[in-house]
Amino acid sequence: MTKCSLVLTYVLWPLSSHRCSLVFQGREAGAMTGAGAEDDIPLGERKTVTDFCYLLDKSKQLFNGLRDLPQYGHKQWQSYFGRTFDVYTKLWKFQQQHRQVLDNRYGLKRWQIGEVASKIGQLYYHYYLRTSETSYLNEAFSFYSAIRQRSYYYQVNKEDRPELVVKKLRYYARYIVVCLLLNKMDLVKVLVKELSEEIEDYTQRFNTEDQLEWNLVLQEVAAFVEADPVVVLNDENTVVFTSNRLQEGGVPQLEQGMVVGQLTLADALIIGNCNNQVKFSELTIDMFRILQALEREPVNLATTTSKPGTLEPSEKPAKRENPHKYLLYKPTFSQLYTFLSASFKELPANSVLLVYLSATGVFPTGRLDYEGPYDFGGVLTNTNRDVVNGETVQKRNQAQKEMHCLHPGDLFPFTRKPLFVIVDSSNSTAYKNFTNLFGQPLVCLLSPTVYPKSMQDQSQRGSLFTLFLYCPLLAFLSVCGLSSLRQGLWEKAEEFLHKVYRDIGQMITRSQAIDQAFLQFYGDEFLRLLLIRFVFCSATLRLHKLFRESRSFPESYPQLPKQDTVESSLLQKHVLELAAMLDVRSLFWDGTLDVNY
């Protein structure tokens, strides 16, 4: 693990400070005896301090214990999280009700209140990660925002204690992560500036060894914010940030009498293992984009005004709005398989497991007489932990298969239940060689494996294929070389695309030749939108003049009937109309041309 990743690991799970003593010692004792002898302190005030110390100590024990809970599974952690929330709720209310006594008798500092608030924010953030309910992100934001607005950490810089300053820096990093996930990019830029100033002050005052690591954190978040290839500008030339979560009315409705499956997307594994891709806090830009594509826009996202702590996370939502997600950054093969198995095991009836792979391709070393599901390569899993007896394993014989590779065959056991796979990789086509052994619905959406040379320079800022699945208009503008667009034209193009989506939906559901697996998944709104965006991506790249090779087009398993979908004359007409609207018509072939190479 690099030093920078170590810093970011602490951003997610900081080491707790020393246990709070239940007796009055040190600074606390001084505060207690400042007004006179200890015996003169009223019994009620003494009990208040003792109760506070107990709650503080208990909260730290429970918080530290969260790190030991299994990261997978839905049931093992819920009761523990509930107990932790209960204690922190009591602690937060207790310090509010008895602030004067705690100030006078305990010597309570504002940064200590900030630390409690920060931990509550972390609890809500991790509850969001566990449940995928974005309302908990709003709660985390409300606590982090209160810390900044009330300047809880302001006095930290005046104390000669570097560990306290580090607490403040980690708070900023966590706050930035939550703001990124809530698309509050304007606030992110402000927080990055403040964090930069705090880091500079920290490194000047203390002779620290972690200056380089904190500067790298700054660089990562700056690159993350600037990863989008196109900016939308309003009339004042100010950048407008838009959310790409699923919004009300954002997906074509099912037509009356349409026969589609009743499956629901319940679980998603989002795996990121691309070399050199922009990332922040173990979240690559591709992972971030697909994460947002699998979430609904919360109703109160822009108007969060509730007071901290108003939401009770121990109460399970009546209806799960979003599929549950696991975010796996550079997992080992064993980790990936463990999470896959746990998710498969707990998948409810009539539900779908989605596996998203954004990873470097692993190619076969030679041709064999028999080509099976393990002979086409796959995508790379993490090799950093490939250590035996303290020594790195030497390069294997070329005849041996790469053990740190997820082959198509590795997913075969999980096709016993409905499975939806998205592979964004230079060897995505390995997953064309699937076999549906159990007759359950199975679809694989596969990225292009080769991009035009002029496009390859953008790979660090995320894959074009994933960008299409996340925000088709952003990807369309990017592939046309546009770096900015006026807000009015953006809204006009978005409105036009909604009509295109409806037509694509009809193409999919009315085709006589389409594989039934696509229709089985079409009933779920998230999967419906992904399928529609996939078809739009395929049609766009087939018409674009720079995309000349068949390897530059997305593929799928099972194959889509091209004439009914990606090469439909109506869809080609729509793509050209959008190009004309954006004044980039010359970049596309005429729709009547044969684009099969």
Side-chain angles (χ1 to χ4, degrees), residues 295-455:
E295 289 183 346
R296 297 181 189 278
E297 190 72 60
V299 175
N300 63 337
L301 184 62
T303 58
T304 303
T305 56
S306 61
K307 295 180 180 179
T310 56
L311 192 65
E312 291 297 335
S314 57
E315 297 178 8
K316 195 172 182 181
K319 177 179 178 293
R320 169 162 282 169
E321 290 294 324
N322 300 317
H324 174 262
K325 295 175 289 296
Y326 292 115
L327 305 176
L328 303 179
Y329 174 67
K330 293 195 171 182
T332 62
F333 175 81
S334 58
Q335 287 173 330
L336 197 160
Y337 226 61
T338 299
F339 278 83
L340 261 174
S341 301
S343 190
F344 176 85
K345 176 185 176 183
E346 297 189 355
L347 195 69
N350 299 317
S351 296
V352 181
L353 170 62
L354 182 147
V355 179
Y356 169 82
L357 298 165
S358 168
T360 304
V362 177
F363 297 88
T365 53
R367 306 293 289 179
L368 301 175
D369 293 337
Y370 169 72
E371 291 185 339
Y374 290 89
D375 296 323
F376 297 95
V379 299
L380 193 65
T381 56
N382 194 8
T383 61
N384 291 346
R385 299 173 180 83
D386 188 13
V387 176
V388 177
N389 297 327
E391 294 182 3
T392 304
V393 175
Q394 298 298 313
K395 191 174 183 180
R396 296 171 188 78
N397 187 311
Q398 287 296 316
Q400 294 180 329
K401 288 184 172 61
E402 170 59 60
M403 66 175 289
H404 295 284
C405 174
L406 187 75
H407 297 270
D410 292 320
L411 296 179
F412 279 16
F414 305 103
T415 60
R416 289 174 168 84
K417 295 181 180 179
L419 184 65
F420 196 99
V421 182
I422 302 172
V423 185
D424 196 335
S425 171
S426 55
N427 191 28
S428 62
T429 51
Y431 292 81
K432 282 197 307 183
N433 304 287
F434 243 102
T435 305
N436 193 339
L437 299 175
F438 300 97
Q440 291 289 329
L442 169 65
V443 162
C444 301
L445 304 183
L446 311 173
S447 72
T449 56
V450 172
Y451 290 100
K453 290 183 178 179
S454 59
M455 305 271 173

Side-chain angles (χ1 to χ4, degrees), residues 514-527:
I514 198 164
D515 191 285
Q516 287 299 304
F518 291 101
L519 299 181
Q520 288 293 317
F521 291 126
Y522 195 81
D524 180 88
E525 286 192 322
F526 292 107
L527 300 180

Side-chain angles (χ1 to χ4, degrees), residues 7-8 11 148 157 165-177 187-203 213-219 221-222 280:
V7 168
L8 290 175
V11 163
R148 180 166 171 264
N157 291 30
V165 181
V166 170
K167 287 179 186 290
K168 187 176 185 178
L169 299 182
R170 290 176 183 162
Y171 150 72
Y172 266 105
R174 296 184 201 110
Y175 193 8
I176 288 170
V177 170
L187 182 54
V188 167
K189 292 181 178 180
V190 174
L191 294 175
V192 168
K193 184 175 183 296
E194 291 180 10
L195 177 58
S196 176
E197 293 169 353
E198 294 289 345
I199 291 173
E200 186 176 354
D201 178 72
Y202 166 64
T203 54
E213 289 74 39
W214 279 109
N215 284 333
L216 190 52
V217 169
L218 279 177
Q219 292 171 21
V221 69
F280 182 62

Side-chain angles (χ1 to χ4, degrees), residues 45-93:
E45 293 185 6
R46 184 190 302 279
K47 186 176 184 304
T48 295
V49 175
T50 303
D51 289 348
F52 177 76
C53 285
Y54 170 77
L55 287 173
L56 189 61
D57 186 64
K58 187 66 175 176
S59 68
K60 290 176 180 177
Q61 289 181 44
L62 288 169
F63 190 90
N64 288 340
L66 291 173
R67 290 176 296 178
D68 299 326
L69 294 176
Q71 293 177 296
Y72 48 84
H74 300 323
K75 299 173 184 176
Q76 304 96 318
W77 54 270
Q78 284 182 344
S79 60
Y80 193 97
F81 253 93
R83 291 200 306 274
T84 308
F85 266 112
D86 286 343
V87 170
Y88 270 98
T89 299
K90 291 175 183 176
L91 178 63
W92 185 253
K93 291 179 180 177

